[in-house]
Each structure stands twice: as C-alpha cells, then as structure tokens.
Amino acid sequence: MTEVAPFPDELRDWAAGLREQFPIITANPGSAYLDSAATAQKPRAVLDAATRYLTGENANAGRGTYTWANRTTARIDQARDRVRGFLADPDPARSGVDFVSGTTEGLRAVALDWLPGWLRDGDEIIVPYADHSANLVPWLDAVAVLARQGVRVTVHALPYDAAHDYDYARLATLITSRTRFIAATHVHHVYGGDMNVHRMRAAAGPDVVICLDAAQGAGHLPLSVTELDVDFVVFSGHKAMALPGTGVVWSRNRRGPRFAPGGWSGTPNTAGIVSLVAALDWLDAAGTDRIARWTVALAARLTDGLRGLDPYEMLGCQTSLAADSPVQQRHGIVTLRHRDIGSNDLGFILAGEGLMVRSDDHCQSPQGERTTSVRVSLHVYNTVDEVDRLLAVLTGLSSY
Ligand code: PMP
C-alpha cells in the first residue's frame, strides 16, 4: 500500500495568494481550468510586462540605431541570460540559448540542424516511443535524411518499466560504443510522472548526448542543468506562463558540434520573449520547489479519490502516487478513463460542469495509449476545492 503524505496545508494561503494574480482565473469563478499541460494561464505580471513593452518601446531587434530598437536587442540578450539563470546553468559562457516558437520547433531544430552533424555511419540512437510525438518524429526524420545520404543509423526504443518510468537498468544494457544520442522527457505529458532523468547520465555513460523535452517540467518543478548532466533542454514558454509562440533551446555545447540552428531566422518574437523573462521571474519568485509540492499534492488527492471509484481507470503509475513517494511523483497530471462513458463524452460532461479538461489521444507516440482518455492537469493556481469538485462530479458518474 502506498503511504499517503499529509496534505501540505501550510501552502494553502500561499497558493491562494498566487491564484489571485491570474486575471483569467479570478474573472471566471464558476470554472476550473484543469488543462495546464496544454497551456498554462498567465499571471498579471507577465501580461503587464508584454503590454508595457508593446505600448512603451516595441521595435525590431538587431536592426536599428534608435533607442527602442537597441533596447529590444539588449532585452533579447538579457533574456538568454535569464534562461541560463532559470536553468542553473553552470557554464553560461559556453552554453547557447536559442529562441524558437515552442518545444516542437526546438526539438526539430536539434534533430535536423544539429544531430546529422554528430552522427556517423553505424551509430545508434535511443528515442522514446511512448512520449509526445514531438519527441519522436524529428529524430526519425533526421535518421531518414541521413539514410538518403548513405549514413545508416540504428534507432532503439527507450525502454519503460511497469510504472511508466524509464527502465534505467534495461537502458544501460542497450548502450554500446556506438550509442551517440538519447532523447528523453522530463515529465510525461500523459502519465504525469517525473521520468527521473537525473538517472540518465549514469545509465548512458559520459559521452552520449542527451536531449531533454522539458515541456511539462519547466515551471512545474526545479530544473537544474547543474544537476542534470544533459546536453539540450527544450521547452515551450506558453506552458511556463509566458505568451504563446515562445520556446527555448538551451544547449550545453560540451559534447559534439556547437548548436547553431540553420537558416535565416528573421524577426524574433520580441513580445513573447519579454513575457518569457517575466514568467521566469514570476516562477522563480514563487519557487518551483513549492509549486511542485502543491501540484504533486493536488494530483495525489485526485488519485487517492479515484482509486476507490470502480468504473475509473487511471493511466500510468498505480503504486507510488503519494506526495512523498521516493519512486515516482505525478507532477499535476492525472489521466483517466471511465469504463462505460467514452472519453470525449466525459470531456463534454465535465465541460458542462465548468471543469475544463482535455480528452483525446494527447499526441502520444506509437507505443502509447491506443484509446482516448481524459487528462486533468493542474498548476499552482488550482485549488483543493477544484479537485474536490471534479471528484464529486466523477463520483456522481460512477454508477452511470
Ligand atoms: N513535448 C511534450 C512533453 C508536450 O507535452 C508538448 C505539448 N503538449 C510538446 C512537446 C509540444 O509542445 P508545443 O506544442 O508547445 O510545441
């Protein structure tokens, strides 16, 4: 039996104070936004920073001689340092920060602009077949591009264990002298588990390049590249409380060629980057460690409530969902199915109750779930009452 940790009541006032800072949340008291894994809501500080910039000194970057343009150029350079700080970068003089439109574009850029220069004929890579498609398709595309040039690369599937964590013991047995690259995910977007990537380097050995999809981790829990010896971190600003259309590729540039995305990049998303800086400031001030404690506790409350409800099936780790679990924690994501009500119908029923969840196949790669499911995803602005409201509606549907 899993021991359930006491709910962190000391965080209730703190979380309630942060919730007040989200205009869209306070303007809609009858609704509960439970879809933060799709996109996060924005605190007032982020909205104000973007408005201040757009109404104060909006200009293009790197292309002017006047103050607004120079200040915009400087802001974007400073934003790179802000990202380095957010990620606890130990070697900021060497690392790169490139702004892209989101995780999907960022992973594609690593796959198509960097990976082909690192791989040689006969090399092997290991990629996840049950994570988000954005973290599988580009690697397979890169291998296909290389194959057309006569460079053969073997692709292995990153193994999972029964709890949907990566199976690090089996991974170690897949590593050979030709293994050059592993793509991994920080927090799983369907199962919600922390994929324990701090264990990846020991399993992979010192020379393998590791690329981390941190779309569901950034802003949800501490993310330190001093602690995680990975080579790339890619995330989407919009899931980390910034405006949409802003993503980050952080590159350590210690193994393999320097990351330099190809092509002419054009005008950057200046207002988005301004909003990203404000979002990272906000998240650091709130404390990603506390945010993690709150969302893990809310998710544990939901899974504890669901566990006794017969018609529901929870996806992912079943045995170690409590907030104090040393094995695996759900970072605010709980995905479920009802035995008799289709997931799309369940999504509509919940929407009718003002509960905004996502119901579909969640863009999972081919080894993922075959049937649609309902994903509940929480952030720091969600409350115990919202979780209990959801549980009450689900309980009411249990004898359907
Ligand atoms: N990876 C993961 C784990 C995700 O959850 C998502 C978004 N659902 C993506 C990548 C793609 O992010 P974006 O749509 O912002 O590019």
Side-chain angles (χ1 to χ4, degrees):
M1 262 309 273
T2 307
E3 283 240 342
V4 178
F7 194 85
D9 283 315
E10 72 282 7
L11 294 183
R12 280 182 194 247
D13 289 348
W14 165 82
L18 295 184
R19 177 179 167 89
E20 288 301 308
Q21 298 180 32
F22 288 79
I24 199 170
I25 302 274
T26 53
N28 292 283
S31 305
Y33 183 73
L34 305 172
D35 197 19
S36 291
T39 198
Q41 299 301 349
K42 325 300 178 202
R44 191 183 308 283
V46 168
L47 301 170
D48 286 352
T51 305
R52 252 197 326 274
Y53 170 72
L54 288 169
T55 55
E57 51 185 29
N58 176 44
N60 210 325
R63 292 164 171 79
T65 48
Y66 53 95
T67 313
W68 294 353
N70 292 338
R71 283 182 55 90
T72 297
T73 307
R75 274 174 183 273
I76 291 180
D77 284 341
Q78 287 156 9
R80 292 196 173 87
D81 287 336
R82 187 65 193 84
V83 170
R84 291 184 176 98
F86 183 71
L87 297 176
D89 184 341
D91 193 2
R94 188 199 299 240
S95 68
V97 173
D98 289 276
F99 293 112
V100 288
S101 65
T103 307
T104 305
E105 190 194 332
L107 292 171
R108 265 202 103 63
V110 178
L112 297 178
D113 296 338
W114 182 87
L115 190 60
W118 173 233
L119 297 179
R120 302 280 171 268
D121 193 45
D123 281 349
E124 302 178 13
I125 69 170
I126 302 176
V127 296
Y129 275 72
D131 292 2
H132 198 285
S133 296
N135 199 15
L136 175 66
V137 175
W139 314 121
L140 302 183
D141 287 351
V143 168
V145 167
L146 286 168
R148 287 197 286 277
Q149 297 163 4
V151 178
R152 286 154 310 158
V153 171
T154 304
V155 181
H156 295 284
L158 183 53
Y160 302 82
D161 67 14
H164 294 78
D165 193 1
Y166 294 135
D167 186 334
Y168 288 96
R170 273 182 53 213
L171 170 64
T173 67
L174 282 180
I175 305 291
T176 72
S177 60
R178 298 309 302 264
T179 309
R180 306 270 279 167
F181 178 82
I182 300 176
T185 298
H186 191 205
V187 170
H188 199 283
H189 72 295
V190 177
Y191 306 121
D194 177 342
M195 301 304 284
N196 290 308
V197 278
H198 61 278
R199 300 178 59 193
M200 186 65 80
R201 177 58 62 197
D207 302 324
V208 176
V209 167
I210 301 172
C211 176
L212 188 64
D213 171 350
Q216 299 297 350
H220 288 263
L221 68 164
L223 175 48
S224 158
V225 293
T226 299
E227 281 167 27
L228 298 179
D229 187 5
V230 296
D231 300 282
F232 292 98
V233 173
V234 183
F235 66 93
S236 300
H238 72 96
K239 293 184 202 280
M241 299 187 179
L243 296 185
T246 324
V248 168
V249 178
W250 173 88
S251 45
R252 192 182 292 275
N253 293 320
R254 193 150 52 81
R255 299 175 181 90
R258 205 181 160 77
F259 176 64
W264 171 251
S265 57
T267 300
N269 179 359
T270 48
I273 294 167
V274 168
S275 80
L276 179 67
V277 170
L280 301 185
D281 286 348
W282 192 92
L283 289 163
D284 272 343
T288 47
D289 50 344
R290 277 193 293 188
I291 294 173
R293 281 185 63 216
W294 184 250
T295 56
V296 167
L298 289 182
R301 189 176 180 99
L302 183 53
T303 53
D304 290 343
L306 279 173
R307 204 174 289 125
L309 283 182
D310 179 44
Y312 292 101
E313 173 203 359
M314 276 183 291
L315 277 50
C317 179
Q318 301 289 310
T319 54
S320 57
L321 307 178
D324 64 344
S325 166
V327 183
Q328 196 176 34
Q329 299 188 337
R330 280 181 194 270
H331 281 277
I333 295 178
V334 180
T335 304
L336 56 108
R337 290 193 198 103
H338 189 293
R339 195 181 44 220
D340 303 316
I341 305 177
S343 294
N344 287 340
D345 291 342
L346 185 54
F348 280 117
I349 294 170
L350 295 175
E353 301 287 337
L355 301 164
M356 294 178 253
V357 299
R358 170 154 165 182
S359 47
D360 63 9
D361 63 0
H362 314 296
C363 312
Q364 213 175 353
S365 288
Q367 285 177 2
E369 303 295 326
R370 299 257 177 270
T371 348
T372 57
S373 49
V374 167
R375 181 178 69 186
V376 179
S377 55
L378 307 153
H379 216 315
V380 69
Y381 37 73
N382 289 116
T383 63
V384 174
D385 283 352
E386 288 175 331
V387 169
D388 290 352
R389 226 174 100 198
L390 172 67
L391 273 172
V393 175
L394 293 175
T395 305
L397 294 170
S398 62
S399 56
Y400 172 84

